[in-house]
Amino acid sequence: MAWFRSLTKHTAFHLSRPRNTDPFHLLPPFTTFLSHFSSTVAEESPSSGSAAPVPYAGLGQTKPHEKPRVVVLGSGWAGCRLMKGLDPEIYDIVCVSPRNHMVFTPLLASTCVGTLEFRSVAEPIARIQPAISKEPGSYFFLANCTSIDADKHEVQCETVTEGVQTLDPWKFTISYDKLVIALGAQPTTFGIHGVHEHAIFLREVHHAQEIRRKLLLNLMMSDVPGITEEEKQRLLHCVVVGGGPTGVEFSGELSDFIMKDVRQRYSHVKDYIHVTLIEANEILSSFDDRLRRYATAQLTKSGVRLVHGIVKDVQDQKIILNDGTEVPYGLLVWSTGVGPSQIIHSLDLPKSPGGRIGIDEWLRVPSVQDVFSIGDCSGFVESTGKPTLPALAQVAERQGKYLANLLNKIGKADGGRANSIKDIDFGDPFVYKHLGSMASVGSYKALVDLRQSKEGKGLSLAGFISWFVWRSAYLTRVISWRNRFYVAINWATTFVFGRDISRI
């Protein structure tokens, strides 16, 4: 029984040790890691009423022997492309975001119906920039930015916690030498009542998962004995609000799913399920007129009902249009564009027309030192004379690449420290050149519009060849070879075996 005595002794030793509830606490061997965090912060003790020190309350200012620190807020297209291009030999890189991965949004609609697996469109940040998980001064924090003090070069953050049994949100501060705001945007609801409560957006992986679960649940519930005809039609009515690329591609994927999978595996309800796409103006308004007409004809042929109207109210099981028409639904997907988020509105920084963070030609935020902004949350200030760029992935990616090169150049010129870039030549300003737009409309058909602007001239294609170009382009744009392999295998297995309809 020697092993039992040893076990009880070992257990008693660990039980006797005081527990540390500090989420940033690490064991003694990691003293190098802990030295990066500020040592104490005053917090009132509930028992004595006095201020008690709480260790490791954040990242303090960088020391002379340390690399300058770049803090990136956000993990979208802009932030991740920036981190990928930053040189970890020059900077310590700290990312603050409520998600630890980047989403390849152009293929997100395909995950809702099982064409692709969810992990195929998500790339971990640690793979995009390995220094975050390897370098002693680089970190990723699962948190939201709550405020920015540009004078002190500090960012206030609060951890993101989910679930029933979880830690309370933990507030901490990060000092920066260079700050990049890449917080993206939020879906626009135009103040319409009930959208947040009853509709599902399509911008994150968890949105796609929720859409998939609800869609499959409605399919199975509609087949239960005793369900009325009216209720069955409501459950199987999928409504998409917004005729932009995301709404059109989701409608196309859904129509493919209905024609090729639902009618084979849910034969009892195959005649009840249908899709309605509601748009206030023209679908795919940024595309060529000929391509818009083709998309309209193709979607109609695939069984998608197109409705021109404005949503006035969203209720639990129906939406009401401005003309009084009531549209019952079982699944409601909201895709009407994006606008500045609440945190962007709250920041005391210059703003561009439309409420985005104002930037100059070099993506700097005017009137504050060492702050840059890229992606959907930023726009040129009026003094630059440049129009606000569209909220597109290619804009964000191009800005991230440009700023990474600029910051590397600044770091090599000894301008990486706070308040040290006044005499450095930034070089050529950022210039955006539109490469074109693509959208899938289902049934192995797609649109490719290579014009640089809506009024410009250029190549535009529609049909099967465009669909092949669409898939080839997105396959090459997927960030890693791992995910390219996942996507290719998913496409192949879907083509051979059909979509997976398991509700997991």
Side-chain angles (χ1 to χ4, degrees):
M1 299 294 290
W3 63 271
F4 181 76
R5 288 192 299 270
S6 176
L7 175 63
T8 56
K9 181 179 179 181
H10 181 75
T11 305
F13 169 75
H14 281 280
L15 290 176
S16 65
R17 296 177 63 188
R19 294 187 177 182
N20 194 319
T21 59
D22 177 11
F24 283 102
H25 175 74
L26 291 177
L27 295 177
F30 296 93
T31 53
T32 303
F33 170 81
L34 293 179
S35 66
H36 292 279
F37 293 90
S38 57
S39 57
T40 59
V41 63
E43 183 178 86
E44 185 175 317
S45 174
S47 58
S48 62
S50 60
V54 177
Y56 321 131
L59 289 174
Q61 294 181 352
T62 54
K63 298 178 176 60
H65 66 276
E66 296 175 337
K67 291 180 286 187
R69 180 185 300 139
V70 175
V71 175
V72 182
L73 304 180
S75 58
W77 281 85
C80 286
R81 185 59 185 87
L82 167 78
M83 287 186 285
K84 182 180 180 180
L86 284 176
D87 188 349
E89 298 294 328
I90 300 176
Y91 295 103
D92 284 333
I93 305 166
V94 175
C95 178
V96 178
S97 175
R99 67 182 190 194
N100 69 342
H101 58 274
M102 174 191 165
V103 180
F104 192 80
T105 48
L107 295 177
L108 191 58
S110 298
T111 65
C112 299
V113 296
T115 305
L116 295 176
E117 294 295 330
F118 297 111
R119 65 176 179 176
S120 301
V121 299
E123 184 71 20
I125 293 176
R127 288 181 177 269
I128 296 173
Q129 177 49 268
I132 284 180
S133 59
K134 295 180 180 179
E135 294 294 325
S138 297
Y139 308 94
F140 169 80
F141 296 127
L142 191 72
N144 282 314
C145 168
T146 57
S147 64
I148 296 172
D149 190 330
D151 295 330
K152 294 182 179 180
H153 280 58
E154 290 181 348
V155 177
Q156 286 75 43
C157 305
E158 183 176 277
T159 56
V160 175
T161 56
E162 296 178 352
V164 178
Q165 296 179 347
T166 184
L167 295 171
D168 292 332
W170 179 265
K171 296 182 179 180
F172 60 99
T173 300
I174 303 174
S175 296
Y176 64 83
D177 291 291
K178 299 290 182 287
L179 175 66
V180 181
I181 305 172
L183 292 171
Q186 67 180 10
T188 53
T189 64
F190 306 103
I192 299 173
H193 171 264
V195 176
H196 285 288
E197 293 80 3
H198 306 299
I200 305 175
F201 304 106
L202 187 53
R203 293 183 58 79
E204 304 286 348
V205 171
H206 67 85
H207 292 152
Q209 291 172 331
E210 186 178 357
I211 291 171
R212 178 174 173 80
R213 284 194 297 266
K214 181 126 187 180
L215 175 62
L216 293 177
L217 176 63
N218 289 351
L219 276 167
M220 290 181 281
M221 289 296 294
S222 64
D223 211 10
V224 173
I227 297 292
T228 64
E229 294 287 312
E230 182 181 2
E231 180 66 4
K232 187 178 293 187
Q233 289 178 351
R234 183 194 69 80
L235 283 172
L236 297 179
H237 187 199
C238 305
V239 177
V240 182
V241 179
T246 300
V248 168
E249 289 189 339
F250 176 72
S251 300
E253 287 282 354
L254 199 51
S255 66
D256 274 359
F257 176 63
I258 293 170
M259 291 190 299
K260 297 175 183 177
D261 298 272
V262 171
R263 292 187 176 180
Q264 290 182 10
R265 306 177 192 185
Y266 291 95
S267 57
H268 297 99
V269 297
K270 64 181 180 180
D271 296 327
Y272 293 89
I273 186 168
H274 58 285
V275 184
T276 297
L277 176 60
I278 300 176
E279 169 56 42
N281 299 305
E282 294 287 335
I283 66 168
L284 301 174
S285 58
S286 63
F287 282 70
D288 179 76
D289 291 339
R290 181 179 66 86
L291 297 183
R292 289 208 306 268
R293 291 193 296 269
Y294 180 89
T296 301
Q298 185 60 42
L299 289 172
T300 304
K301 182 180 177 181
S302 300
V304 179
R305 179 187 172 207
L306 301 178
V307 174
H308 291 281
I310 300 175
V311 177
K312 180 181 178 181
D313 187 29
V314 177
Q315 300 180 9
D316 184 24
Q317 297 182 356
K318 65 182 179 181
I319 60 176
I320 301 175
L321 303 183
N322 59 335
D323 60 359
T325 304
E326 295 185 355
V327 183
Y329 67 87
L331 173 66
L332 177 61
V333 177
W334 196 270
S335 177
T336 57
V338 296
S341 61
Q342 185 59 41
I343 180 63
I344 298 301
H345 284 300
S346 67
L347 294 177
D348 185 20
L349 295 173
K351 298 294 193 299
S352 70
R356 299 184 184 187
I357 295 176
I359 54 174
D360 64 12
E361 296 94 329
W362 291 273
L363 311 182
R364 299 174 300 182
V365 178
S367 75
V368 292
Q369 284 289 324
D370 301 317
V371 180
F372 302 80
S373 184
I374 54 178
D376 297 349
C377 68
S378 63
F380 292 115
V381 293
E382 287 185 296
S383 60
T384 63
K386 293 187 175 183
T388 299
L389 296 175
L392 298 175
Q394 59 176 298
V395 175
E397 184 183 28
R398 213 85 52 80
Q399 287 181 331
K401 181 179 180 180
Y402 170 87
L403 186 56
N405 293 332
L406 177 59
L407 289 177
N408 289 338
K409 177 181 178 180
I410 291 172
K412 292 176 181 177
D414 295 327
R417 299 287 175 186
N419 302 312
S420 62
I421 60 174
K422 294 181 180 179
D423 299 326
I424 295 177
D425 180 17
F426 279 18
D428 296 331
F430 174 77
V431 177
Y432 172 68
K433 182 179 179 181
H434 189 61
L435 297 180
S437 304
M438 296 184 291
S440 170
V441 293
S443 301
Y444 303 109
K445 303 293 192 303
L447 315 175
V448 176
D449 191 350
L450 300 181
R451 298 175 304 156
Q452 292 189 19
S453 65
K454 188 175 180 180
E455 296 77 19
K457 295 182 179 180
L459 182 64
S460 58
L461 303 172
F464 176 79
I465 295 178
S466 298
W467 174 84
F468 183 80
V469 172
W470 173 81
R471 280 208 164 180
S472 301
Y474 281 161
L475 186 62
T476 59
R477 298 306 298 166
V478 173
I479 293 180
S480 68
W481 282 104
R482 183 197 72 150
N483 279 30
R484 290 171 194 164
F485 178 78
Y486 283 160
V487 169
I489 292 299
N490 289 164
W491 278 341
T493 53
T494 298
F495 180 78
V496 176
F497 300 108
R499 294 168 179 82
D500 178 35
I501 59 171
S502 302
R503 186 174 184 268
I504 302 174

